[in-house]
Amino acid sequence: RRSNGSQGIVPSRQSATNLVRERHEFTRLQLIDDEQNFSEELPNYMQNKWGLEDSGFNYDVVAVFGSQSTGKSTLLNRLFGTRFDVMNEGQRQQTTRGIWADRGTDSMPVLILDVEGTDGRERGENQDFERKSALFSLAISEVLIVNMWETMVGLYNGANMGLLKTVMEVNLQLFGGNRNSKTLLYFVIRDHVSSTPLSSLADTLSIDLQRIWDGLSRPDGLANAQLSDYFDVRFTSLSHKTLQPENFERQALDLRRQFTDKKSDDYVFQPAYKRRVPADGFPRYAQAVWEKVVSNKDLDLPTQQELLAQYRCDEIAATAIGPFREAVESLRPRVQRGQIVDELGDVSRKARTQAIGAFDEQAARYHSEVYQKKRAAFVQTLDSELHAMFLNQVKNALTLAAETFSSQGFRALEEGADEGRGFNETVGAVRVHMEEQFIATVRALAVPGVSWSFESEIEQLEAQLEAIMEKLRKAEMERVLERLRRDARDAVAESVAEHLGNPDDGMWAGVMAGFDAACVQADSQLINRMDAAGVEPQARSALVRKLHQLLWDDAADVLREEVADQMVLLKLRTALEDRFRYDAAGLPRVWRPTDDIDAQFATARSAAQALLPKFSKVDISGSIKLRRPADFFPAGYDFARTLVLISPARAREVGKRFGREADALYLEAKRAMVTTQNQ
Ligand code: GDP
Ligand code: MG
């Protein structure tokens, strides 16, 4: 013992305990109390006090068994730097029943169970706990340290043998059908003071073990099972702690080495002993196992591991989906508002990959079938959330494409017409552009390994664009018809004026020829425009007929104007005057007394009057185009009505007025003749 005032408090003694204690103080936990309750604190200890939570499979579990006050806690504290309670000297009664747990020092990610009160000497109640703690310890520990005095070796009927029998029985119950999972039984013989060599002690114990094994009643399928199928057995002994303290400490240190030095040949924790419970699932697993043990239910470890896997995979999934949702949700309002969110694909893919990665990292350690199933379900959850949002975006893109096509289409139509470009060149180009944009939006949402085709949305887009295209086509055709009609109207008006102003026998033939020509011209232009706009064959005939109707409506209008009251009177008067006032050579007549003015007048008047019925009705016989009106005009067009230019009633009225005007002309001519004679 040394004290140095200038350096303050200095470690008073260098013992194995002080050497191995590096960090923690009193981090032991009463995992199972004397009322057989499982501690709620285990997850907290795993994470905060022991720091084992994230160690995956990289941790080990060891438990100690043995009679009361055989120095178990003392040994554990030496080996692992733990701080389990050690009974005071001279006070040889049980302190606390239950199971205590602690972690080894920093360099030892080992969980140590100090199982107290395992002493089969005592009452039935005690034996019950012994069995339960043996079941529990075997289910979760890789190594069982069996601690006993040297003096106990060979006492086949002693307490230790009872304990070992329990361990064997319990082991069959737990691992009978599964010889892959082995346990190391490490016998530590205390107070080895006699001259009997360790090997002899070991032989004695081995024989006892074998006798116990042979005496076990084993289930049918396991009749030939060997002790060594389930257990590796190792022996060591320690000197008397107080009589040979130096030897004791040295041997304890060497034993400690076997639990820490992974490279040494006698390293204790072999892969074959692993219980395959990831550290993050350990608290849940240990608790579930204990609950089964306490309620005396069948403890089936594979089922427990599956249940644990299900429970943990769900928990891991719930954690892993958090950041995913956060990332994806941040974009949802914009998508719901109808925006096309460009980064949706990238953000989603990244969040999805990260979520799956986070899930895999922890969950992959669990029961592989359960993990695979849970993984598929997890991915399915992610993908269905993504798909809903992607669908929303695709629908937005669809609406946008349709609206844009509609507005830009009409503009392109007008601009294109102004620049003399065709329908396909303008509107068709806009459509292709819209389609490309839409497909690009859909492509940007592709997730590797996931087949979302959005086939039906693409079809919808095509249908909508086609409907808009049809509207645009219609608008285009209406404009084309208007333009062709305007062009034809002038030509027809000119021809009508010329022929009706010269009402000879060829008058109507001339008008018809003019109309036919305008028609031929307009027809061919219309066909060109229909070709350019891609008008369906079945829609063409209606357009052609509509054009014909417009052309004829205009021609009929021009004709009616041409034979309005004043116009037709003028025409009749002109005809009368031409015949009456001018001779055949076109020279003005000078009436002489010998002239039969009455007869001349009568002839001229009747010739003029004969024109009235000719003007009253269109004679279409000279037209090739109008030969079969039913094939030429739209259904329901009242073509016959358009042919009557002057109704019979109006014709009579006009006839009368013409009669009066003719009379006036006659009187004037008579008067002129009298005047001439009187000169
Ligand atoms: P446990 O009940 O098995 O955990 O035993 P403890 O570790 O509490 O020790 C019980 C008593 O035995 C204590 O007084 C210890 O000091 C003492 N003891 C511990 N190790 C040894 C040992 O190796 N030999 C002897 N003779 N006494 C020991
Ligand atoms: Mg103890």
Side-chain angles (χ1 to χ4, degrees):
R1 199 165 297 208
R2 194 168 59 99
S3 169
N4 185 332
S6 67
Q7 289 188 352
I9 299 158
V10 171
S12 58
R13 190 163 57 103
Q14 289 283 341
S15 69
T17 307
N18 282 347
L19 274 175
V20 297
R21 175 162 297 284
E22 288 145 25
R23 173 178 56 91
H24 63 297
E25 297 288 327
F26 299 110
T27 55
R28 61 182 188 189
L29 169 68
Q30 191 175 18
L31 188 59
I32 287 154
D33 66 17
D34 40 0
E35 304 291 328
Q36 305 198 350
N37 297 311
F38 193 91
S39 172
E40 297 294 326
E41 286 293 306
L42 181 56
N44 175 30
Y45 271 67
M46 279 295 282
Q47 192 168 4
N48 301 317
K49 303 242 178 182
W50 300 337
L52 288 173
E53 163 99 349
D54 297 326
S55 39
F57 289 126
N58 192 22
Y59 76 106
D60 298 290
V61 184
V62 53
V64 71
F65 268 64
S67 296
Q68 191 65 43
S69 300
T70 46
K72 298 188 296 295
S73 301
T74 305
L75 176 66
L76 293 179
N77 292 346
R78 282 290 188 293
L79 296 183
F80 302 107
T82 49
R83 283 273 175 107
F84 293 118
D85 271 352
V86 172
M87 194 184 289
N88 286 338
E89 305 280 351
Q91 182 199 357
R92 285 227 159 183
Q93 88 265 22
Q94 188 172 295
T95 47
T96 326
R97 247 193 329 238
I99 299 179
W100 289 77
D102 200 349
R103 115 159 233 177
T105 50
D106 284 355
S107 58
M108 302 171 85
V110 180
L111 205 61
I112 301 106
L113 303 181
D114 188 2
V115 183
E116 296 202 21
T118 49
D119 192 334
R121 283 175 308 191
E122 311 231 339
R123 294 158 295 139
E125 181 201 345
N126 227 8
Q127 283 179 341
D128 172 64
F129 182 75
E130 179 182 286
R131 191 179 181 83
K132 281 175 178 164
S133 55
L135 255 174
F136 176 72
S137 303
L138 255 180
I140 63 174
S141 312
E142 299 149 62
V143 177
L144 285 189
I145 296 176
V146 182
N147 192 61
M148 60 174 71
W149 304 123
E150 187 201 357
T151 51
M152 291 171 164
V153 176
L155 299 179
Y156 180 63
N157 294 319
N160 281 302
M161 292 303 116
L163 174 66
L164 284 173
K165 183 164 185 269
T166 303
V167 168
M168 305 261 154
E169 282 171 356
V170 155
N171 181 75
L172 274 183
Q173 183 183 334
L174 286 176
F175 302 108
N178 170 21
R179 294 180 210 182
N180 296 328
S181 197
K182 265 191 164 184
T183 307
L184 175 65
L185 287 181
Y186 205 150
F187 287 86
V188 180
I189 299 158
R190 310 292 290 271
D191 288 5
H192 187 190
V193 290
S194 78
S195 55
T196 317
L198 172 63
S199 60
S200 296
L201 297 172
D203 287 345
T204 308
L205 283 171
S206 296
I207 291 165
D208 286 349
L209 277 179
Q210 193 58 50
R211 276 166 68 189
I212 294 170
W213 180 259
D214 294 339
L216 284 184
S217 58
R218 288 196 291 269
D220 285 352
L222 300 174
N224 295 322
Q226 299 297 309
L227 177 69
S228 57
D229 290 335
Y230 301 101
F231 292 103
D232 283 343
V233 185
R234 221 197 260 195
F235 305 90
T236 193
S237 66
L238 299 177
S239 297
H240 196 290
K241 182 168 158 282
T242 41
L243 298 182
Q244 298 173 289
E246 267 149 45
N247 280 355
F248 177 86
E249 297 295 343
R250 187 172 38 76
Q251 290 157 349
L253 270 178
D254 184 65
L255 192 50
R256 171 180 158 78
R257 182 194 52 75
Q258 296 177 29
F259 281 93
T260 38
D261 186 1
K262 293 188 182 186
K263 290 191 194 88
S264 84
D265 291 340
D266 53 1
Y267 181 58
V268 166
F269 298 115
Q270 294 300 311
Y273 310 145
K274 276 269 184 230
R275 292 297 188 253
R276 309 290 309 161
V277 176
D280 57 87
F282 180 80
R284 169 88 191 175
Y285 181 71
Q287 182 165 15
V289 166
W290 180 250
E291 276 160 11
K292 287 273 173 197
V293 167
V294 166
S295 58
N296 283 315
K297 295 225 178 82
D298 267 355
L299 177 57
D300 171 22
L301 290 187
T303 306
Q304 285 307 316
Q305 297 210 343
E306 259 179 59
L307 290 174
L308 174 71
Q310 286 175 8
Y311 178 84
R312 279 297 297 151
C313 285
D314 286 345
E315 276 191 338
I316 293 163
T319 307
I321 209 167
F324 168 83
R325 289 218 169 108
E326 218 167 280
V328 174
E329 285 307 314
S330 71
L331 302 178
R332 188 184 295 280
R334 285 165 62 200
V335 174
Q336 282 178 340
R337 243 181 282 137
Q339 272 182 34
I340 309 295
V341 180
D342 288 339
E343 66 269 33
L344 179 62
D346 280 343
V347 169
S348 301
R349 272 188 295 273
K350 206 173 141 213
R352 182 180 182 274
T353 306
Q354 278 175 353
I356 294 174
F359 179 84
D360 283 346
E361 195 188 324
Q362 288 199 292
R365 295 195 189 104
Y366 286 90
H367 188 276
S368 118
E369 230 171 83
V370 173
Y371 156 67
Q372 293 295 350
K373 256 191 220 150
K374 293 283 179 185
R375 185 187 198 274
F378 179 62
V379 171
Q380 168 87 54
T381 304
L382 300 181
D383 287 352
S384 68
E385 287 183 23
L386 284 189
H387 186 257
M389 196 127 125
F390 284 11
L391 195 61
N392 200 341
Q393 168 124 315
V394 168
K395 294 224 146 100
N396 291 341
L398 198 143
T399 308
L400 181 75
E403 283 174 2
T404 312
F405 180 47
S406 186
S407 60
Q408 286 192 7
F410 277 104
R411 201 176 319 142
L413 203 63
E414 268 155 40
E415 281 165 10
D418 291 347
E419 290 161 21
R421 285 183 294 138
F423 184 83
N424 268 347
E425 207 184 322
T426 55
V427 174
V430 176
R431 176 178 178 161
V432 167
H433 182 60
M434 291 294 99
E435 282 167 345
E436 282 170 356
Q437 257 189 5
F438 177 80
I439 296 292
T441 305
V442 171
R443 286 235 175 89
L445 297 177
V447 176
V450 181
S451 54
W452 292 329
S453 64
F454 296 108
E455 210 63 71
S456 110
E457 282 69 29
I458 293 174
E459 274 169 29
Q460 272 181 44
L461 177 82
E462 287 309 319
Q464 288 191 14
L465 293 187
E466 193 47 51
I468 293 165
M469 192 88 169
E470 198 47 50
K471 271 192 204 155
L472 291 168
R473 220 177 255 133
K474 234 175 156 177
E476 161 80 347
M477 281 307 121
E478 269 164 24
R479 290 153 40 121
V480 165
L481 288 182
E482 256 335 291
R483 186 148 2 98
L484 294 180
R485 172 186 198 175
R486 229 176 29 235
D487 292 349
R489 190 183 177 108
D490 293 343
V492 169
E494 207 171 296
S495 148
V496 165
E498 184 198 330
H499 293 291
L500 264 62
N502 183 21
D504 56 15
D505 285 349
M507 178 184 85
W508 283 117
V511 169
M512 289 302 122
F515 176 77
D516 281 3
C519 225
V520 166
Q521 170 91 358
D523 274 357
S524 85
Q525 283 186 22
L526 178 62
I527 285 165
N528 285 343
R529 304 307 294 257
M530 289 193 298
D531 285 345
V535 176
E536 300 283 328
Q538 62 268 29
R540 289 175 171 237
S541 149
L543 280 171
V544 172
R545 285 166 185 250
K546 179 75 188 166
L547 173 68
H548 292 165
Q549 185 204 317
L550 293 173
L551 294 186
W552 180 252
D553 278 345
D554 286 350
D557 276 354
V558 169
L559 285 169
R560 269 191 292 276
E561 276 167 33
E562 213 44 57
V563 296
D565 289 1
Q566 291 306 320
M567 295 287 280
V568 79
L569 273 174
L570 182 67
K571 284 188 170 59
L572 294 184
R573 201 166 58 229
T574 306
L576 174 66
E577 285 177 359
D578 279 355
R579 282 194 167 70
F580 185 60
R581 282 190 168 168
Y582 301 92
D583 62 16
L587 295 170
R589 286 190 207 272
V590 179
W591 297 106
R592 285 179 301 260
T594 50
D595 287 339
D596 185 355
I597 186 167
D598 289 356
Q600 289 282 350
F601 182 76
T603 316
R605 188 166 76 169
S606 67
Q609 228 150 12
L611 289 178
L612 193 52
K614 199 170 174 181
F615 284 135
S616 294
K617 193 162 189 304
V618 182
D619 173 6
I620 58 166
S621 60
S623 169
I624 296 167
K625 292 277 174 190
L626 296 174
R627 200 163 286 165
R628 294 164 62 105
D631 297 341
F632 192 68
F633 294 116
Y637 182 58
D638 192 355
F639 175 59
R641 190 187 54 81
T642 65
L643 297 180
V644 179
L645 300 179
I646 303 169
S647 68
R650 192 159 76 82
R652 275 196 299 280
E653 187 56 36
V654 171
K656 261 190 224 159
R657 280 175 65 184
F658 174 65
R660 284 197 290 277
E661 283 187 23
D663 288 348
L665 195 68
Y666 173 73
L667 286 177
E668 188 193 324
K670 273 273 190 185
R671 228 179 278 127
M673 197 176 65
V674 171
T675 310
T676 314
Q677 284 172 347
N678 291 350
Q679 278 173 354

